[in-house]
Amino acid sequence: MNDHLAEKILQNAAQADVICQELNRQILKLGFPPERADVTLGSHVQYSLQRDTFSGLDSLVGVWTHPTSGYKTGMLLFHADETFFAEYDVLQPHPSKRKWFVEAVTVWGRGDDIKGDPRLLPALGE
């Protein structure tokens, strides 16, 4: 890992923790059991820097992968202007609204101003 990447990860670590908490809050708000709200910054996050085509500055990108399959399960994006976006796959039927399937939860914002929403799809067969 190069020094610039390590510095960006360290700069955004506290915000990344808050984002994980908000992703988990969004999962719990839907009515899933607490054990389903398991978004953390554990070993299954791979970071890289990507050039933002609009600003020309580096953005920090973190990608969650499934521990056994290696499939992407979510992502974090920190822009140089301190805005961020994150999404995390849920991929389960809505726990109380049978007509909906929860694809993912998303959060976005800047600093302490965090918004979040689930991404829902109509359930098949309903």
Side-chain angles (χ1 to χ4, degrees):
M1 175 182 321
N2 70 42
D3 290 344
H4 186 57
L5 176 58
E7 179 183 325
K8 289 281 191 185
I9 293 169
L10 187 59
Q11 285 174 349
N12 290 288
Q15 186 70 59
D17 283 334
V18 171
I19 289 169
C20 288
Q21 291 171 26
E22 182 61 23
L23 288 167
N24 286 323
R25 193 182 79 72
Q26 291 294 323
I27 291 169
L28 293 171
K29 191 166 105 175
L30 290 166
F32 286 102
E35 60 271 10
R36 183 61 184 92
D38 60 354
V39 183
T40 67
L41 292 173
S43 61
H44 303 293
V45 179
Q46 299 296 316
Y47 288 101
S48 64
L49 294 175
Q50 291 183 356
R51 186 72 49 166
D52 184 318
T53 55
F54 179 73
S55 72
L57 302 171
D58 285 334
S59 293
L60 177 64
V61 178
V63 176
W64 278 285
T65 56
H66 190 273
T68 55
S69 69
Y71 289 116
K72 178 181 172 183
T73 58
M75 58 90 61
L76 279 160
L77 176 61
F78 294 97
H79 293 290
D81 68 357
E82 300 182 4
T83 59
F84 58 84
F85 173 81
E87 66 180 1
Y88 196 82
D89 291 345
V90 176
L91 304 175
Q92 291 186 351
H94 193 290
S96 62
K97 298 178 182 175
R98 295 175 27 101
K99 294 186 181 218
W100 295 103
F101 181 84
V102 183
E103 181 182 16
V105 289
T106 60
V107 299
W108 63 93
R110 176 183 282 167
D112 293 335
D113 185 18
I114 300 176
K115 308 286 186 221
D117 274 322
R119 192 164 54 232
L120 304 175
L121 298 171
L124 296 175
E126 292 295 320

PDB file of all heavy atoms in Angstrom, residues 12-47:
ATOM      1  N   ASN A  12     -10.007   9.178   6.688  1.00  0.00           N
ATOM      2  CA  ASN A  12     -11.438   8.898   6.581  1.00  0.00           C
ATOM      3  C   ASN A  12     -11.921   7.797   7.519  1.00  0.00           C
ATOM      4  O   ASN A  12     -13.105   7.433   7.482  1.00  0.00           O
ATOM      5  CB  ASN A  12     -11.779   8.537   5.134  1.00  0.00           C
ATOM      6  CG  ASN A  12     -11.675   9.716   4.209  1.00  0.00           C
ATOM      7  OD1 ASN A  12     -12.505  10.615   4.248  1.00  0.00           O
ATOM      8  ND2 ASN A  12     -10.624   9.756   3.403  1.00  0.00           N
ATOM      9  N   ALA A  13     -11.056   7.282   8.387  1.00  0.00           N
ATOM     10  CA  ALA A  13     -11.410   6.137   9.233  1.00  0.00           C
ATOM     11  C   ALA A  13     -12.582   6.426  10.163  1.00  0.00           C
ATOM     12  O   ALA A  13     -13.512   5.614  10.273  1.00  0.00           O
ATOM     13  CB  ALA A  13     -10.191   5.674  10.030  1.00  0.00           C
ATOM     14  N   ALA A  14     -12.562   7.565  10.839  1.00  0.00           N
ATOM     15  CA  ALA A  14     -13.647   7.881  11.771  1.00  0.00           C
ATOM     16  C   ALA A  14     -14.973   8.045  11.025  1.00  0.00           C
ATOM     17  O   ALA A  14     -16.009   7.542  11.471  1.00  0.00           O
ATOM     18  CB  ALA A  14     -13.320   9.151  12.563  1.00  0.00           C
ATOM     19  N   GLN A  15     -14.946   8.718   9.882  1.00  0.00           N
ATOM     20  CA  GLN A  15     -16.164   8.896   9.084  1.00  0.00           C
ATOM     21  C   GLN A  15     -16.655   7.547   8.570  1.00  0.00           C
ATOM     22  O   GLN A  15     -17.859   7.293   8.535  1.00  0.00           O
ATOM     23  CB  GLN A  15     -15.911   9.848   7.919  1.00  0.00           C
ATOM     24  CG  GLN A  15     -17.160  10.186   7.128  1.00  0.00           C
ATOM     25  CD  GLN A  15     -18.114  11.057   7.904  1.00  0.00           C
ATOM     26  OE1 GLN A  15     -17.761  12.142   8.319  1.00  0.00           O
ATOM     27  NE2 GLN A  15     -19.326  10.601   8.110  1.00  0.00           N
ATOM     28  N   ALA A  16     -15.738   6.674   8.187  1.00  0.00           N
ATOM     29  CA  ALA A  16     -16.119   5.346   7.701  1.00  0.00           C
ATOM     30  C   ALA A  16     -16.835   4.553   8.794  1.00  0.00           C
ATOM     31  O   ALA A  16     -17.812   3.845   8.524  1.00  0.00           O
ATOM     32  CB  ALA A  16     -14.893   4.591   7.199  1.00  0.00           C
ATOM     33  N   ASP A  17     -16.379   4.669  10.034  1.00  0.00           N
ATOM     34  CA  ASP A  17     -17.057   4.002  11.151  1.00  0.00           C
ATOM     35  C   ASP A  17     -18.487   4.524  11.318  1.00  0.00           C
ATOM     36  O   ASP A  17     -19.422   3.749  11.529  1.00  0.00           O
ATOM     37  CB  ASP A  17     -16.287   4.191  12.460  1.00  0.00           C
ATOM     38  CG  ASP A  17     -15.062   3.309  12.562  1.00  0.00           C
ATOM     39  OD1 ASP A  17     -15.034   2.238  11.933  1.00  0.00           O
ATOM     40  OD2 ASP A  17     -14.127   3.697  13.289  1.00  0.00           O
ATOM     41  N   VAL A  18     -18.650   5.835  11.224  1.00  0.00           N
ATOM     42  CA  VAL A  18     -19.982   6.440  11.338  1.00  0.00           C
ATOM     43  C   VAL A  18     -20.878   5.964  10.186  1.00  0.00           C
ATOM     44  O   VAL A  18     -22.063   5.674  10.389  1.00  0.00           O
ATOM     45  CB  VAL A  18     -19.881   7.986  11.363  1.00  0.00           C
ATOM     46  CG1 VAL A  18     -21.247   8.639  11.260  1.00  0.00           C
ATOM     47  CG2 VAL A  18     -19.168   8.438  12.620  1.00  0.00           C
ATOM     48  N   ILE A  19     -20.312   5.849   9.004  1.00  0.00           N
ATOM     49  CA  ILE A  19     -21.078   5.373   7.848  1.00  0.00           C
ATOM     50  C   ILE A  19     -21.538   3.935   8.077  1.00  0.00           C
ATOM     51  O   ILE A  19     -22.691   3.593   7.797  1.00  0.00           O
ATOM     52  CB  ILE A  19     -20.242   5.511   6.565  1.00  0.00           C
ATOM     53  CG1 ILE A  19     -20.104   6.994   6.207  1.00  0.00           C
ATOM     54  CG2 ILE A  19     -20.857   4.713   5.416  1.00  0.00           C
ATOM     55  CD1 ILE A  19     -19.086   7.285   5.125  1.00  0.00           C
ATOM     56  N   CYS A  20     -20.666   3.086   8.602  1.00  0.00           N
ATOM     57  CA  CYS A  20     -21.062   1.699   8.912  1.00  0.00           C
ATOM     58  C   CYS A  20     -22.212   1.678   9.912  1.00  0.00           C
ATOM     59  O   CYS A  20     -23.165   0.904   9.754  1.00  0.00           O
ATOM     60  CB  CYS A  20     -19.874   0.912   9.463  1.00  0.00           C
ATOM     61  SG  CYS A  20     -18.626   0.505   8.243  1.00  0.00           S
ATOM     62  N   GLN A  21     -22.124   2.518  10.939  1.00  0.00           N
ATOM     63  CA  GLN A  21     -23.197   2.595  11.928  1.00  0.00           C
ATOM     64  C   GLN A  21     -24.516   3.005  11.271  1.00  0.00           C
ATOM     65  O   GLN A  21     -25.578   2.462  11.601  1.00  0.00           O
ATOM     66  CB  GLN A  21     -22.824   3.576  13.034  1.00  0.00           C
ATOM     67  CG  GLN A  21     -21.708   3.113  13.919  1.00  0.00           C
ATOM     68  CD  GLN A  21     -21.233   4.209  14.860  1.00  0.00           C
ATOM     69  OE1 GLN A  21     -21.960   5.119  15.215  1.00  0.00           O
ATOM     70  NE2 GLN A  21     -19.973   4.133  15.255  1.00  0.00           N
ATOM     71  N   GLU A  22     -24.453   3.945  10.345  1.00  0.00           N
ATOM     72  CA  GLU A  22     -25.673   4.399   9.671  1.00  0.00           C
ATOM     73  C   GLU A  22     -26.217   3.331   8.727  1.00  0.00           C
ATOM     74  O   GLU A  22     -27.436   3.143   8.634  1.00  0.00           O
ATOM     75  CB  GLU A  22     -25.435   5.710   8.916  1.00  0.00           C
ATOM     76  CG  GLU A  22     -26.672   6.250   8.232  1.00  0.00           C
ATOM     77  CD  GLU A  22     -27.830   6.577   9.170  1.00  0.00           C
ATOM     78  OE1 GLU A  22     -27.614   6.803  10.387  1.00  0.00           O
ATOM     79  OE2 GLU A  22     -28.983   6.611   8.687  1.00  0.00           O
ATOM     80  N   LEU A  23     -25.346   2.611   8.033  1.00  0.00           N
ATOM     81  CA  LEU A  23     -25.816   1.501   7.194  1.00  0.00           C
ATOM     82  C   LEU A  23     -26.528   0.469   8.061  1.00  0.00           C
ATOM     83  O   LEU A  23     -27.608  -0.023   7.708  1.00  0.00           O
ATOM     84  CB  LEU A  23     -24.644   0.864   6.441  1.00  0.00           C
ATOM     85  CG  LEU A  23     -24.044   1.691   5.307  1.00  0.00           C
ATOM     86  CD1 LEU A  23     -22.702   1.105   4.867  1.00  0.00           C
ATOM     87  CD2 LEU A  23     -25.006   1.785   4.127  1.00  0.00           C
ATOM     88  N   ASN A  24     -25.948   0.152   9.208  1.00  0.00           N
ATOM     89  CA  ASN A  24     -26.583  -0.795  10.133  1.00  0.00           C
ATOM     90  C   ASN A  24     -27.911  -0.253  10.656  1.00  0.00           C
ATOM     91  O   ASN A  24     -28.889  -0.998  10.781  1.00  0.00           O
ATOM     92  CB  ASN A  24     -25.642  -1.127  11.289  1.00  0.00           C
ATOM     93  CG  ASN A  24     -24.515  -2.039  10.864  1.00  0.00           C
ATOM     94  OD1 ASN A  24     -24.711  -2.928  10.055  1.00  0.00           O
ATOM     95  ND2 ASN A  24     -23.331  -1.802  11.391  1.00  0.00           N
ATOM     96  N   ARG A  25     -27.962   1.042  10.953  1.00  0.00           N
ATOM     97  CA  ARG A  25     -29.216   1.652  11.415  1.00  0.00           C
ATOM     98  C   ARG A  25     -30.293   1.540  10.352  1.00  0.00           C
ATOM     99  O   ARG A  25     -31.459   1.248  10.651  1.00  0.00           O
ATOM    100  CB  ARG A  25     -28.983   3.119  11.797  1.00  0.00           C
ATOM    101  CG  ARG A  25     -30.136   3.731  12.579  1.00  0.00           C
ATOM    102  CD  ARG A  25     -29.887   5.199  12.905  1.00  0.00           C
ATOM    103  NE  ARG A  25     -30.151   6.069  11.785  1.00  0.00           N
ATOM    104  CZ  ARG A  25     -31.369   6.371  11.310  1.00  0.00           C
ATOM    105  NH1 ARG A  25     -32.437   5.866  11.862  1.00  0.00           N
ATOM    106  NH2 ARG A  25     -31.519   7.167  10.282  1.00  0.00           N
ATOM    107  N   GLN A  26     -29.921   1.723   9.101  1.00  0.00           N
ATOM    108  CA  GLN A  26     -30.885   1.603   8.005  1.00  0.00           C
ATOM    109  C   GLN A  26     -31.418   0.171   7.914  1.00  0.00           C
ATOM    110  O   GLN A  26     -32.604  -0.043   7.661  1.00  0.00           O
ATOM    111  CB  GLN A  26     -30.248   2.024   6.674  1.00  0.00           C
ATOM    112  CG  GLN A  26     -29.945   3.494   6.560  1.00  0.00           C
ATOM    113  CD  GLN A  26     -31.202   4.347   6.554  1.00  0.00           C
ATOM    114  OE1 GLN A  26     -32.227   3.978   5.990  1.00  0.00           O
ATOM    115  NE2 GLN A  26     -31.127   5.499   7.203  1.00  0.00           N
ATOM    116  N   ILE A  27     -30.558  -0.815   8.112  1.00  0.00           N
ATOM    117  CA  ILE A  27     -30.971  -2.228   8.083  1.00  0.00           C
ATOM    118  C   ILE A  27     -31.936  -2.508   9.232  1.00  0.00           C
ATOM    119  O   ILE A  27     -32.995  -3.131   9.037  1.00  0.00           O
ATOM    120  CB  ILE A  27     -29.734  -3.148   8.138  1.00  0.00           C
ATOM    121  CG1 ILE A  27     -28.933  -3.028   6.829  1.00  0.00           C
ATOM    122  CG2 ILE A  27     -30.145  -4.601   8.398  1.00  0.00           C
ATOM    123  CD1 ILE A  27     -27.558  -3.672   6.871  1.00  0.00           C
ATOM    124  N   LEU A  28     -31.603  -2.043  10.434  1.00  0.00           N
ATOM    125  CA  LEU A  28     -32.462  -2.261  11.599  1.00  0.00           C
ATOM    126  C   LEU A  28     -33.796  -1.539  11.444  1.00  0.00           C
ATOM    127  O   LEU A  28     -34.841  -2.064  11.848  1.00  0.00           O
ATOM    128  CB  LEU A  28     -31.757  -1.806  12.878  1.00  0.00           C
ATOM    129  CG  LEU A  28     -30.546  -2.624  13.287  1.00  0.00           C
ATOM    130  CD1 LEU A  28     -29.809  -1.958  14.443  1.00  0.00           C
ATOM    131  CD2 LEU A  28     -30.947  -4.051  13.628  1.00  0.00           C
ATOM    132  N   LYS A  29     -33.772  -0.348  10.861  1.00  0.00           N
ATOM    133  CA  LYS A  29     -34.987   0.445  10.670  1.00  0.00           C
ATOM    134  C   LYS A  29     -36.001  -0.289   9.785  1.00  0.00           C
ATOM    135  O   LYS A  29     -37.204  -0.124   9.950  1.00  0.00           O
ATOM    136  CB  LYS A  29     -34.600   1.789  10.037  1.00  0.00           C
ATOM    137  CG  LYS A  29     -35.683   2.820   9.999  1.00  0.00           C
ATOM    138  CD  LYS A  29     -35.078   4.177   9.668  1.00  0.00           C
ATOM    139  CE  LYS A  29     -35.393   4.543   8.250  1.00  0.00           C
ATOM    140  NZ  LYS A  29     -34.947   5.887   7.885  1.00  0.00           N
ATOM    141  N   LEU A  30     -35.511  -1.136   8.897  1.00  0.00           N
ATOM    142  CA  LEU A  30     -36.404  -1.922   8.042  1.00  0.00           C
ATOM    143  C   LEU A  30     -37.070  -3.064   8.804  1.00  0.00           C
ATOM    144  O   LEU A  30     -38.040  -3.633   8.327  1.00  0.00           O
ATOM    145  CB  LEU A  30     -35.623  -2.486   6.853  1.00  0.00           C
ATOM    146  CG  LEU A  30     -35.167  -1.460   5.823  1.00  0.00           C
ATOM    147  CD1 LEU A  30     -34.133  -2.073   4.891  1.00  0.00           C
ATOM    148  CD2 LEU A  30     -36.355  -0.924   5.044  1.00  0.00           C
ATOM    149  N   GLY A  31     -36.526  -3.402   9.970  1.00  0.00           N
ATOM    150  CA  GLY A  31     -37.104  -4.477  10.770  1.00  0.00           C
ATOM    151  C   GLY A  31     -36.314  -5.769  10.747  1.00  0.00           C
ATOM    152  O   GLY A  31     -36.781  -6.788  11.259  1.00  0.00           O
ATOM    153  N   PHE A  32     -35.117  -5.751  10.177  1.00  0.00           N
ATOM    154  CA  PHE A  32     -34.282  -6.952  10.206  1.00  0.00           C
ATOM    155  C   PHE A  32     -33.749  -7.171  11.617  1.00  0.00           C
ATOM    156  O   PHE A  32     -33.606  -6.226  12.386  1.00  0.00           O
ATOM    157  CB  PHE A  32     -33.111  -6.814   9.219  1.00  0.00           C
ATOM    158  CG  PHE A  32     -33.515  -6.954   7.784  1.00  0.00           C
ATOM    159  CD1 PHE A  32     -33.652  -5.837   6.979  1.00  0.00           C
ATOM    160  CD2 PHE A  32     -33.768  -8.203   7.237  1.00  0.00           C
ATOM    161  CE1 PHE A  32     -34.032  -5.955   5.658  1.00  0.00           C
ATOM    162  CE2 PHE A  32     -34.160  -8.335   5.908  1.00  0.00           C
ATOM    163  CZ  PHE A  32     -34.288  -7.204   5.118  1.00  0.00           C
ATOM    164  N   PRO A  33     -33.433  -8.420  11.974  1.00  0.00           N
ATOM    165  CA  PRO A  33     -32.901  -8.700  13.315  1.00  0.00           C
ATOM    166  C   PRO A  33     -31.496  -8.108  13.471  1.00  0.00           C
ATOM    167  O   PRO A  33     -30.786  -7.910  12.477  1.00  0.00           O
ATOM    168  CB  PRO A  33     -32.867 -10.232  13.375  1.00  0.00           C
ATOM    169  CG  PRO A  33     -32.858 -10.683  11.964  1.00  0.00           C
ATOM    170  CD  PRO A  33     -33.591  -9.633  11.172  1.00  0.00           C
ATOM    171  N   PRO A  34     -31.089  -7.832  14.702  1.00  0.00           N
ATOM    172  CA  PRO A  34     -29.781  -7.203  14.953  1.00  0.00           C
ATOM    173  C   PRO A  34     -28.599  -7.937  14.322  1.00  0.00           C
ATOM    174  O   PRO A  34     -27.644  -7.302  13.883  1.00  0.00           O
ATOM    175  CB  PRO A  34     -29.671  -7.191  16.469  1.00  0.00           C
ATOM    176  CG  PRO A  34     -31.084  -7.217  16.950  1.00  0.00           C
ATOM    177  CD  PRO A  34     -31.857  -8.013  15.933  1.00  0.00           C
ATOM    178  N   GLU A  35     -28.651  -9.258  14.257  1.00  0.00           N
ATOM    179  CA  GLU A  35     -27.522  -9.986  13.684  1.00  0.00           C
ATOM    180  C   GLU A  35     -27.351  -9.733  12.183  1.00  0.00           C
ATOM    181  O   GLU A  35     -26.291  -9.983  11.618  1.00  0.00           O
ATOM    182  CB  GLU A  35     -27.603 -11.492  13.973  1.00  0.00           C
ATOM    183  CG  GLU A  35     -28.818 -12.183  13.439  1.00  0.00           C
ATOM    184  CD  GLU A  35     -29.998 -12.171  14.416  1.00  0.00           C
ATOM    185  OE1 GLU A  35     -29.969 -11.472  15.442  1.00  0.00           O
ATOM    186  OE2 GLU A  35     -30.974 -12.871  14.120  1.00  0.00           O
ATOM    187  N   ARG A  36     -28.388  -9.212  11.532  1.00  0.00           N
ATOM    188  CA  ARG A  36     -28.280  -8.875  10.105  1.00  0.00           C
ATOM    189  C   ARG A  36     -27.566  -7.541   9.893  1.00  0.00           C
ATOM    190  O   ARG A  36     -27.020  -7.281   8.831  1.00  0.00           O
ATOM    191  CB  ARG A  36     -29.689  -8.837   9.469  1.00  0.00           C
ATOM    192  CG  ARG A  36     -29.700  -8.563   7.991  1.00  0.00           C
ATOM    193  CD  ARG A  36     -28.931  -9.659   7.247  1.00  0.00           C
ATOM    194  NE  ARG A  36     -28.837  -9.389   5.837  1.00  0.00           N
ATOM    195  CZ  ARG A  36     -27.827  -8.742   5.246  1.00  0.00           C
ATOM    196  NH1 ARG A  36     -26.830  -8.293   5.953  1.00  0.00           N
ATOM    197  NH2 ARG A  36     -27.829  -8.555   3.949  1.00  0.00           N
ATOM    198  N   ALA A  37     -27.539  -6.701  10.921  1.00  0.00           N
ATOM    199  CA  ALA A  37     -26.865  -5.398  10.835  1.00  0.00           C
ATOM    200  C   ALA A  37     -25.402  -5.591  11.213  1.00  0.00           C
ATOM    201  O   ALA A  37     -24.975  -5.298  12.329  1.00  0.00           O
ATOM    202  CB  ALA A  37     -27.552  -4.395  11.745  1.00  0.00           C
ATOM    203  N   ASP A  38     -24.624  -6.126  10.261  1.00  0.00           N
ATOM    204  CA  ASP A  38     -23.252  -6.532  10.543  1.00  0.00           C
ATOM    205  C   ASP A  38     -22.219  -5.821   9.675  1.00  0.00           C
ATOM    206  O   ASP A  38     -21.155  -6.361   9.397  1.00  0.00           O
ATOM    207  CB  ASP A  38     -23.121  -8.045  10.394  1.00  0.00           C
ATOM    208  CG  ASP A  38     -23.465  -8.528   8.991  1.00  0.00           C
ATOM    209  OD1 ASP A  38     -23.915  -7.712   8.158  1.00  0.00           O
ATOM    210  OD2 ASP A  38     -23.292  -9.735   8.718  1.00  0.00           O
ATOM    211  N   VAL A  39     -22.519  -4.604   9.240  1.00  0.00           N
ATOM    212  CA  VAL A  39     -21.591  -3.862   8.396  1.00  0.00           C
ATOM    213  C   VAL A  39     -20.452  -3.319   9.261  1.00  0.00           C
ATOM    214  O   VAL A  39     -20.686  -2.571  10.202  1.00  0.00           O
ATOM    215  CB  VAL A  39     -22.294  -2.696   7.666  1.00  0.00           C
ATOM    216  CG1 VAL A  39     -21.330  -1.984   6.735  1.00  0.00           C
ATOM    217  CG2 VAL A  39     -23.519  -3.185   6.910  1.00  0.00           C
ATOM    218  N   THR A  40     -19.227  -3.732   8.948  1.00  0.00           N
ATOM    219  CA  THR A  40     -18.044  -3.255   9.668  1.00  0.00           C
ATOM    220  C   THR A  40     -16.933  -2.971   8.657  1.00  0.00           C
ATOM    221  O   THR A  40     -17.039  -3.313   7.476  1.00  0.00           O
ATOM    222  CB  THR A  40     -17.525  -4.293  10.683  1.00  0.00           C
ATOM    223  OG1 THR A  40     -17.032  -5.429   9.960  1.00  0.00           O
ATOM    224  CG2 THR A  40     -18.598  -4.707  11.665  1.00  0.00           C
ATOM    225  N   LEU A  41     -15.865  -2.412   9.155  1.00  0.00           N
ATOM    226  CA  LEU A  41     -14.693  -2.152   8.316  1.00  0.00           C
ATOM    227  C   LEU A  41     -13.653  -3.250   8.467  1.00  0.00           C
ATOM    228  O   LEU A  41     -12.470  -3.022   8.282  1.00  0.00           O
ATOM    229  CB  LEU A  41     -14.073  -0.796   8.686  1.00  0.00           C
ATOM    230  CG  LEU A  41     -14.926   0.400   8.334  1.00  0.00           C
ATOM    231  CD1 LEU A  41     -14.306   1.665   8.898  1.00  0.00           C
ATOM    232  CD2 LEU A  41     -15.125   0.521   6.840  1.00  0.00           C
ATOM    233  N   GLY A  42     -14.071  -4.444   8.761  1.00  0.00           N
ATOM    234  CA  GLY A  42     -13.154  -5.557   8.968  1.00  0.00           C
ATOM    235  C   GLY A  42     -12.262  -5.827   7.770  1.00  0.00           C
ATOM    236  O   GLY A  42     -12.095  -5.007   6.875  1.00  0.00           O
ATOM    237  N   SER A  43     -11.712  -6.987   7.744  1.00  0.00           N
ATOM    238  CA  SER A  43     -10.718  -7.357   6.737  1.00  0.00           C
ATOM    239  C   SER A  43     -11.288  -7.501   5.329  1.00  0.00           C
ATOM    240  O   SER A  43     -10.540  -7.718   4.390  1.00  0.00           O
ATOM    241  CB  SER A  43     -10.042  -8.661   7.152  1.00  0.00           C
ATOM    242  OG  SER A  43     -11.008  -9.695   7.227  1.00  0.00           O
ATOM    243  N   HIS A  44     -12.588  -7.395   5.187  1.00  0.00           N
ATOM    244  CA  HIS A  44     -13.201  -7.605   3.872  1.00  0.00           C
ATOM    245  C   HIS A  44     -13.441  -6.321   3.105  1.00  0.00           C
ATOM    246  O   HIS A  44     -14.287  -6.258   2.230  1.00  0.00           O
ATOM    247  CB  HIS A  44     -14.502  -8.394   4.024  1.00  0.00           C
ATOM    248  CG  HIS A  44     -14.296  -9.704   4.701  1.00  0.00           C
ATOM    249  ND1 HIS A  44     -13.589 -10.733   4.138  1.00  0.00           N
ATOM    250  CD2 HIS A  44     -14.648 -10.134   5.925  1.00  0.00           C
ATOM    251  CE1 HIS A  44     -13.533 -11.742   4.969  1.00  0.00           C
ATOM    252  NE2 HIS A  44     -14.166 -11.400   6.070  1.00  0.00           N
ATOM    253  N   VAL A  45     -12.673  -5.257   3.438  1.00  0.00           N
ATOM    254  CA  VAL A  45     -12.741  -3.998   2.700  1.00  0.00           C
ATOM    255  C   VAL A  45     -11.398  -3.786   2.018  1.00  0.00           C
ATOM    256  O   VAL A  45     -10.351  -3.814   2.668  1.00  0.00           O
ATOM    257  CB  VAL A  45     -13.060  -2.799   3.617  1.00  0.00           C
ATOM    258  CG1 VAL A  45     -13.096  -1.507   2.815  1.00  0.00           C
ATOM    259  CG2 VAL A  45     -14.367  -2.998   4.341  1.00  0.00           C
ATOM    260  N   GLN A  46     -11.442  -3.617   0.716  1.00  0.00           N
ATOM    261  CA  GLN A  46     -10.231  -3.330  -0.061  1.00  0.00           C
ATOM    262  C   GLN A  46     -10.314  -1.891  -0.544  1.00  0.00           C
ATOM    263  O   GLN A  46     -11.317  -1.499  -1.156  1.00  0.00           O
ATOM    264  CB  GLN A  46     -10.134  -4.279  -1.259  1.00  0.00           C
ATOM    265  CG  GLN A  46     -10.060  -5.736  -0.871  1.00  0.00           C
ATOM    266  CD  GLN A  46      -8.800  -6.051  -0.084  1.00  0.00           C
ATOM    267  OE1 GLN A  46      -7.717  -5.596  -0.437  1.00  0.00           O
ATOM    268  NE2 GLN A  46      -8.943  -6.801   0.997  1.00  0.00           N
ATOM    269  N   TYR A  47      -9.270  -1.102  -0.280  1.00  0.00           N
ATOM    270  CA  TYR A  47      -9.258   0.311  -0.636  1.00  0.00           C
ATOM    271  C   TYR A  47      -8.391   0.574  -1.863  1.00  0.00           C
ATOM    272  O   TYR A  47      -7.393  -0.117  -2.089  1.00  0.00           O
ATOM    273  CB  TYR A  47      -8.720   1.153   0.521  1.00  0.00           C
ATOM    274  CG  TYR A  47      -9.658   1.264   1.687  1.00  0.00           C
ATOM    275  CD1 TYR A  47      -9.477   0.490   2.827  1.00  0.00           C
ATOM    276  CD2 TYR A  47     -10.721   2.151   1.661  1.00  0.00           C
ATOM    277  CE1 TYR A  47     -10.332   0.608   3.908  1.00  0.00           C
ATOM    278  CE2 TYR A  47     -11.582   2.272   2.738  1.00  0.00           C
ATOM    279  CZ  TYR A  47     -11.379   1.498   3.855  1.00  0.00           C
ATOM    280  OH  TYR A  47     -12.236   1.614   4.912  1.00  0.00           O
TER     281      TYR A  47
END
